[in-house]
Amino acid sequence: MNANGITAAVGEPRPRVEGRLKVTGSAAYVADVPMPDLAHGWMVTATVSRGRIRDIDATDALAMPGVLGVLDHRNARRLNPDAAHHFGPDRGLPMLQDDAVPYAGRPIALVVARTPEQARAAASALRVTYDAEPHDTEFSMNHPAARPASTLFGPEADTGDLEAELAVSTVVVDEVYRTPEENHSAMEPHVATAWWEDGHLYALDSNQGPFSISQVMAMLFFIDRDRVHIRAEHVGGGFGAKTICGAQIILAAMAAEHFRRPVRVALTRRQVFLAIGSRPPTEQRVRIGAGADGRLRAVHHHAAFALSPLAEYIEWCTEQARTLYAAPAIRTELSAVPLDRLPPCTMRGPGATPGSFAFESAVDEVAERLRIDPLRLRLLNQPAASPVSGRPWSTRRLITCLEEGARRFGWAQRDPRPRLRREGNLLVGTGVAAAAFVAGVFPASATIAAETDGTFSVRVGASDIGTGARTALIAVAADALGVSTERIRLHIGDSDLGPNPGAGGSRGTTSCAFAVTEAAKALREKLDDPARPVTVTVDTTPLINWRPAEERNTYSAVFAEVTVDPATGEVRVRRLLGMFAVGRVINPLLARSQLIGGMIGGLSMALHEESVRDPITGRLVTADFAGYHISAHADVPNVEADFVADYEPQDPSGFNGLGEIGNAGVAAAIANAVWHATGTRHRTLPISLGRVVETAAPRDRQEAISAV
Amino acid sequence: MREFAYQRTTQIRDALSSVARHDGARFLAGGTNLVDLMKAGVESPARLVDIRSLALGGISESPDGGLVLGATATNSAVAADPLVRRRYPALSQAILAGASGQLRNMATVGGNLLQRTRCAYFADPSEPCNKRAPGSGCSALGGAHHNHAILGWTEHCVATHPSDMAVPLTAFDAVVRYETLDGPGEVPLSEFYLPVGDRPDRETALPDRALITAVVVPAAEVAGKSRYRKVRERASYAFATVSVAAALDVQDGVVRDVRLALGGVASRPWRARLAESALRGGPVTAERISAAADLEVAAAEPLRDNGYKVTLARNLIEAVLTDLAASSGAASGGAAGNGAAGAGEESDG
C-alpha cells in the first residue's frame, strides 16, 4: 500500500482487462473493423521455387463479377528498393516490382474485387506461366554457399585455447543436431486494411509493432514517417511472425493507392504458411570437452541456418554456449546458408530455442559419458561472471531455478542410468535443461496526461499480441502515478503514439514500462494544480543501459518426464515443470500463462512441428494444420511454471521480459528425458514416432503371452 | 464466386433422379470432407443434393444378428450405439479415434467410406496428382511421402485411405448396400475400393451416381473380442500413421477365429489375410503372433522415406494381438466362448 492508501497493482494476479471483450467476441480485430467503400485484395503466390514470370493472363479474371483489377509487376507502383527493417536492407519488401521469382510462395499479384469471394474466385482464374530456373532449397551446414552470419548482434565468442583444452579433456562430445523449418501458427492470420487521404497512408494491420512497421512503410513508399498511421488494437498472436512488415499491408497500401479506395488484404492460413517468414532450419555442431571431475574445459558451438539472399537474418543459436557454463575455452560460430527459400523471420525465442536444444542436449551427453548426474553437472559449472566477456551478471538466479525445480520435480530420487523404468510396455524417463535469454530494453516514448476528471491518459505505442501487455502497463502506470488502476486510460497499438519497439525480443512490456514509469515520474513533479491538465512525454533513449558493465539475462530450468512406447515410437510428455528467473514479475497470472504457452510451444517443437518442403520442387507441402502438426490438447500434460524471487537492477522497477524464455529449454529437457527413457539420443527434431519406433519387439511380450 | 445449386431431398428416388439429371451433381451428407475440398478447389460440383433428410439414419439389428448401419447415421451415433459397442467394440473405438467430436457429429457412415485421401498433393490443385487430375503425375512418389502407402501402391499413386471406421468394417466383412435408378445393389467392402492400378482417380466399385444406403455388418462372434489401435503423429486429431483393427477368439489356447485389418498403409483398408491364415486354427503363442506379423508385412514395399511404417505395422499387429490374446486368456476362465464377453468392451451402462 502506498502513501495514498492505494494497493500496489504490480505483483497482483489480475486478469486481462480486455478478457471479457475477447471471450464474448466483441474485441474488434483488424478484419472486424468495418470500412465504407472497402475493396478486397486476394494475394496470388508463386508456385515455382526460382524463375521468371513469363506471363500473367488476367483476361478471364478481369471479366469476372465485381473485379476491379489486378496488380502485378507490370502496373504496380515503384517501391523503394533500399527499404530496410531491423536486420538491414530487405529486397523482399518491395513486391510486384519485377518478373523474378526468388522463392515459392512469393506474392506475384493481387486481385482486387468488391468482395473477398469475388477476389478469390478471380484469383483462381488468373493464368500464370513461368520460366522456371534450377533452384536450390536443400539446407545443410556444409552447403558450399555457407558464409559467416551477420554480426549485428555482436561478435561470436572465442576465448582460450579450444583445441588444447579439447586435447586434455577426459571426454569429448562432438555431435551434430538438427531442427527443421517451423511456422509460428498465430491464431489470427495476417490481415491489413489500408487507405490513403491527402498524401497520408492509414492502415489497420495485425502486427507486433505499429511504429516500426510505419518506419518501414514510409521508406517503401518514399514518404515521411509522420504521414504513415498504423493501428493494431487487438492482435491474435504473433510469435515473431508479425514483427516484420508483412505482405498484407504492403499489398493493401499499393492497391488502396492504385484503386483509390480502402483495400483489405486478409491472408488465408495457407497463404500465411507460404508467404510469411518462418523459423529457418538449423544444423548445429557442438563440441564439449570435460575433465573427469565434471568441469567443462572446452565449449565449441557452430550453428548454421538457412536464409534468403534477399535479406539478412540472424538465428542466434550460440547464446547458450557463451552464457550458461564456465569453461576456459569457448568458441561460437554462426553460419548463414542463402537458399531459394522463403526469407526467415524471428520466431518465439529465436536462436535460443533451437540453440538450446542442441547445446543442452550436448551438455546432457557429457553427463552421460562422465556417468554424472546431469543436474549436478550443470550446477558444477556455473560461472561467477560471464565466461566470455568476464563481465558480472546483473542478476543470475539460475542455480535457484535448478535447485528449486529439482526439489519440486523430485529429481533426488532419479537413477541417472537410461532404460531402467518400465510401466507395462512403456519406458519412462526424466530430463532437465537450463536456458538463458538475453534481456534488456529498447528506447520507447510514453505520454501521460493528467485529465481534469482525475484520470490519467497514458499513451504508449505498445502492442498487446495476446500476452496481456495492456493489463501489465495499466498496473505499471497506476503504481508509478500512485493511483488506482481505475484511473488509468491506456492507449496503445498506434504508430502515432511515439517511438516504440513493439512486442519483440522479449522487450515490449519492459521497454514500455520503463517509458511509462519515467513519464509518470516527470508528471508527478509537475502536478501541482489538479484542476489544470498537464501532459508530459518522455523518451527513454538517453536513460536506458545505465549499467552497461553488467550482462543481463533471464534464466530457466526445465524438467520433463516422458513415456515412450518403443513398439510404436509414441512419445508422451507426462510432466513439465519450468522454474523461471525473470526479474520482478508484473502480473503473475498473465506471466505464468505466457510461460506455460511458451512451454507448450517448446513441447510442440520437440515432438511435432516440422515444415516439410518437397525435395524436388522445394515447395512447402505442409501449408495447413492438417499437414503441420502442433500439439493437440491431448499432447499437453500437467504443465507448471513458477518464478524464483528476482529483481533486475538495470531496470528502475526491477522488471525483465519473459516473452520467449518459456520456449527455450523445453525441447532439450524432453529430448534428454527420451534418452533417459530409451537409451537412444535423438539429435534431430521433431522426435517423431518414425524416428523412435524400434525394430526389436519389447522383451516382456513373451511373458504376457505365457500367462495365457 | 464459384456458384453451385443446393437442394434438399426427402425421398431416395428424388435424390437419385436429381443427381442423374444434373451434370456435376453430387450427394451431400455431413460435408466434412466434400465442403473442405470445394473450398480448396479440388471439387467443384455444380449441384449438391443434400441427403440428410432421407430416412437412412437408422442403426438396426439384422435378422442374422448383425447390424445395419444407415448411410446417414452419424459417426457419433454409430460409435455410441450399445449394440455396436457390445458386438463390434473395435468399430466404436475406431470412430472415436478419428476427427473431433464436432466432426463426428456431422460425418456419416456413407460419407466416411467415400472420403478422399489426405495426401497434401491431392489437396493442392497447383500440384500434379493422378487422383485429382488423371495423367498429371504423382508428386508424392518422389516428393514428401513420409505418411504414404507401403502396400498396394503403384507408380501412379501412393496415397493412403484415411478412414478409421472402414478398417474394422473391413475386418468384419461388412457389405455396402446402394441404390440406383435401376434398383438396389451391394458390394462387399473388401471389393469396394478398387486396386490403384493406373487409374487412381477411380476409387470405388460403386456404380456411377449410385447412393450408398447402408453398411451391413454380418454377425461374427469374434467381433465381440475386437480392438482398434491407432498410432498417429500426435495424441489426437491426426490421421493414422498405422492403425490396426483386430479380433481374436481363442478357445482352449487355440485360435478359433481371427480378424485383422490395417489402416494408413494402402489406398484402402488392408485386410491382413496372410496373418489371419497363419494364426487361425493354431495355438496362440508369442512366436506365432510374431511370425504372423512378419508374414503380413513381408510384402510391404516402403517408399524412400516411410520404411518406419513397415516396422510400425509389424509391431502394432503384434501388440494388439498380444493384448487380445492376454485378455481372452483372462476371460476364458469365466464365460469362455461367449461373444459378448470381449476384451476392450466398454460398459454401455
Side-chain angles (χ1 to χ4, degrees), chain A residues 24 29 274 383 396 542 554-555 633 641 650:
Chain A
T24 56
Y29 290 79
L274 295 175
R396 182 178 168 114
T554 54
Y555 299 92
H633 284 90
Q650 288 194 28

Side-chain angles (χ1 to χ4, degrees), chain A residues 217-548:
Chain A
M217 289 295 283
M219 261 185 283
L220 262 179
F221 287 83
F222 304 100
I223 54 176
D224 293 337
R225 200 217 60 87
D226 57 11
R227 285 175 170 262
V228 180
H229 314 275
I230 295 176
R231 280 184 283 143
E233 180 71 32
H234 295 293
V235 178
F239 309 111
K242 293 172 182 171
T243 55
I244 49 162
C245 186
Q248 78 284 354
I249 185 172
I250 298 169
L251 296 173
M254 292 171 85
E257 186 184 46
H258 188 93
F259 296 99
R260 298 174 189 278
R261 60 195 287 181
V263 173
R264 177 178 298 157
V265 175
L267 305 193
T268 61
R269 177 62 60 191
R270 176 170 287 272
Q271 289 173 331
V272 173
F273 270 103
L274 295 175
I276 300 292
S278 52
R279 193 205 294 280
T282 74
E283 197 166 287
Q284 308 176 50
R285 182 181 179 198
V286 183
R287 290 197 293 167
I288 302 179
D293 59 356
R295 301 274 177 186
L296 303 190
R297 303 194 65 110
V299 168
H300 182 202
H301 189 167
H302 180 190
F305 58 89
L307 46 52
S308 157
L310 292 174
E312 203 49 88
Y313 172 79
I314 303 169
E315 188 74 26
W316 198 39
C317 296
T318 50
E319 179 182 0
Q320 311 300 314
R322 58 195 290 158
T323 311
L324 282 181
Y325 306 110
I330 298 177
R331 183 188 298 165
T332 64
E333 295 174 73
L334 200 57
S335 299
V337 182
L339 295 167
D340 303 318
R341 297 171 70 115
L342 175 70
C345 171
T346 52
M347 178 163 156
R348 211 168 185 186
T353 302
S356 81
F357 162 68
F359 186 68
E360 279 292 278
S361 291
V363 168
D364 223 63
E365 298 204 50
V366 173
E368 174 192 343
R369 292 180 206 188
L370 283 172
R371 296 170 190 272
I372 185 173
D373 179 86
L375 179 73
R376 190 166 153 256
L377 180 80
R378 286 171 169 90
L379 289 169
L380 201 57
N381 287 285
Q382 287 303 307
S386 165
V388 173
S389 69
R391 295 189 295 161
W393 312 107
S394 62
T395 169
R396 182 178 168 114
R397 306 296 311 281
L398 176 56
I399 293 174
T400 315
C401 289
L402 285 163
E403 289 179 341
E404 176 60 15
R407 190 188 66 75
R408 295 190 192 184
F409 194 76
W411 189 267
Q413 286 79 48
R414 179 184 188 267
D415 186 329
R417 293 171 299 169
R419 211 177 172 107
L420 285 181
R421 286 140 306 277
R422 277 175 180 272
E423 292 178 17
N425 292 329
L426 301 179
L427 303 168
V428 184
T430 52
V432 64
F437 199 86
V438 64
V441 288
F442 294 123
S445 141
T447 299
I448 305 183
E451 311 289 358
T452 52
D453 65 357
T455 65
F456 295 85
S457 295
V458 179
R459 293 183 168 80
V460 59
S463 295
D464 191 333
I465 57 173
T467 59
R470 186 182 280 105
T471 309
L473 290 173
I474 288 173
V476 169
D479 281 12
L481 290 163
V483 301
S484 69
T485 52
E486 288 73 26
R487 289 170 66 188
I488 305 297
R489 304 278 175 266
L490 181 72
H491 304 273
I492 63 169
D494 191 330
S495 64
D496 289 346
L497 297 176
N500 197 283
S506 294
R507 298 182 184 197
T509 298
T510 30
S511 301
C512 295
F514 199 128
V516 167
T517 303
E518 295 299 327
K521 246 186 252 174
L523 183 83
R524 291 176 81 169
E525 285 164 14
K526 287 190 182 178
L527 210 59
D528 39 11
D529 180 3
R532 199 161 51 86
V534 185
T535 300
V536 298
T537 296
V538 170
D539 188 309
T540 57
T541 307
L543 304 173
I544 59 177
N545 296 329
W546 79 84
R547 293 166 73 134

Side-chain angles (χ1 to χ4, degrees), chain B residues 52-256:
Chain B
R52 286 179 73 89
S53 301
L54 303 185
L56 295 174
I59 300 169
S60 57
E61 206 170 349
S62 60
D64 74 338
L67 283 181
V68 180
L69 311 173
T72 62
T74 65
N75 285 184
S76 296
V78 176
D81 186 88
L83 285 177
V84 171
R85 290 169 56 165
R86 191 157 56 240
R87 295 183 188 168
Y88 309 94
L91 176 56
S92 179
Q93 292 163 11
I95 291 170
L96 294 176
S100 64
Q102 294 94 326
L103 288 165
R104 293 193 297 267
N105 286 342
M106 291 299 289
T108 62
V109 169
N112 187 301
L113 295 182
L114 291 176
Q115 66 180 307
R116 314 297 300 277
T117 182
R118 284 347 190 252
C119 174
Y121 299 103
F122 171 75
D124 181 351
S126 71
E127 293 279 2
C129 169
N130 286 327
K131 194 183 272 299
R132 176 173 29 75
S136 61
C138 175
S139 301
L141 186 62
H145 54 226
H146 183 77
N147 206 15
H148 285 65
I150 55 171
L151 285 160
W153 56 270
T154 71
E155 73 272 25
H156 302 285
C157 182
V158 295
T160 58
H161 195 267
S163 173
D164 289 299
M165 185 189 84
V167 181
L169 286 177
T170 298
F172 300 151
D173 292 324
V175 173
V176 179
R177 274 190 195 156
Y178 58 83
E179 195 74 47
T180 70
L181 284 174
D182 303 324
E186 59 179 47
V187 57
L189 196 53
S190 57
E191 294 163 27
F192 183 76
Y193 298 107
L194 302 175
V196 182
D198 59 359
R199 286 300 300 271
D201 56 310
R202 294 180 184 157
E203 293 184 348
T204 73
L206 203 60
D208 191 34
R209 301 181 194 217
L211 176 67
I212 296 177
T213 52
V215 172
V216 181
V217 198
E221 202 169 298
V222 68
K225 300 171 179 177
S226 64
R227 185 166 297 183
Y228 187 73
R229 174 111 185 256
K230 176 179 181 178
V231 173
R232 45 188 151 177
E233 287 182 344
R234 58 183 166 189
S236 78
Y237 210 55
F239 290 91
T241 299
V242 177
S243 67
V244 166
L248 186 67
D249 186 0
V250 179
Q251 299 275 308
D252 304 323
V254 172
V255 177
R256 197 173 71 164

Side-chain angles (χ1 to χ4, degrees), chain A residues 66-148:
Chain A
V67 174
L68 301 172
V70 177
L71 272 188
D72 61 32
H73 62 282
R74 295 166 302 192
N75 62 349
R77 64 111 77 203
R78 295 303 95 189
L79 296 171
N80 186 347
D82 299 320
H85 58 58
H86 46 279
F87 288 115
D90 185 342
R91 309 284 172 195
L93 287 170
M95 295 176 181
L96 316 187
Q97 302 295 292
D98 57 36
D99 61 354
V101 177
Y103 58 90
R106 175 74 177 168
I108 53 167
L110 188 77
V111 179
V112 181
R114 291 201 174 82
T115 71
E117 292 84 2
Q118 290 168 335
R120 182 181 204 165
S124 68
L126 218 58
R127 284 191 296 271
V128 184
T129 47
Y130 304 91
D131 291 315
E133 295 166 9
H135 64 265
D136 186 358
T137 54
E138 195 66 33
F139 168 71
S140 144
M141 74 186 299
N142 301 316
H143 193 286
R147 56 151 174 94

Side-chain angles (χ1 to χ4, degrees), chain A residues 117 121 565 567-568 570 572 608 612 614-616 619 621 629-630 632 634-635 689-690 694-695 697 701-702 705 708, chain B residues 1 39 120-121 124 126-127 142-144 229 231-236 238 286-287 304 308 311-312 315 318-319 322 325:
Chain A
E117 292 84 2
D565 185 336
T568 63
E570 293 165 299
R572 300 280 188 261
H608 305 300
V612 177
D614 185 285
I616 297 168
R619 299 179 65 193
V621 182
H629 284 170
I630 56 179
D635 293 292
L689 58 91
E694 296 181 8
T695 42
R701 286 280 146 75
Q702 196 81 32
I705 298 282
V708 172
Chain B
M1 216 176 322
K39 289 180 187 169
Y121 299 103
D124 181 351
S126 71
E127 293 279 2
R229 174 111 185 256
V231 173
R232 45 188 151 177
E233 287 182 344
R234 58 183 166 189
S236 78
E287 293 74 21
R304 183 194 62 230
Y308 74 99
T311 309
L312 180 53
N315 290 355
E318 186 182 60
T322 301

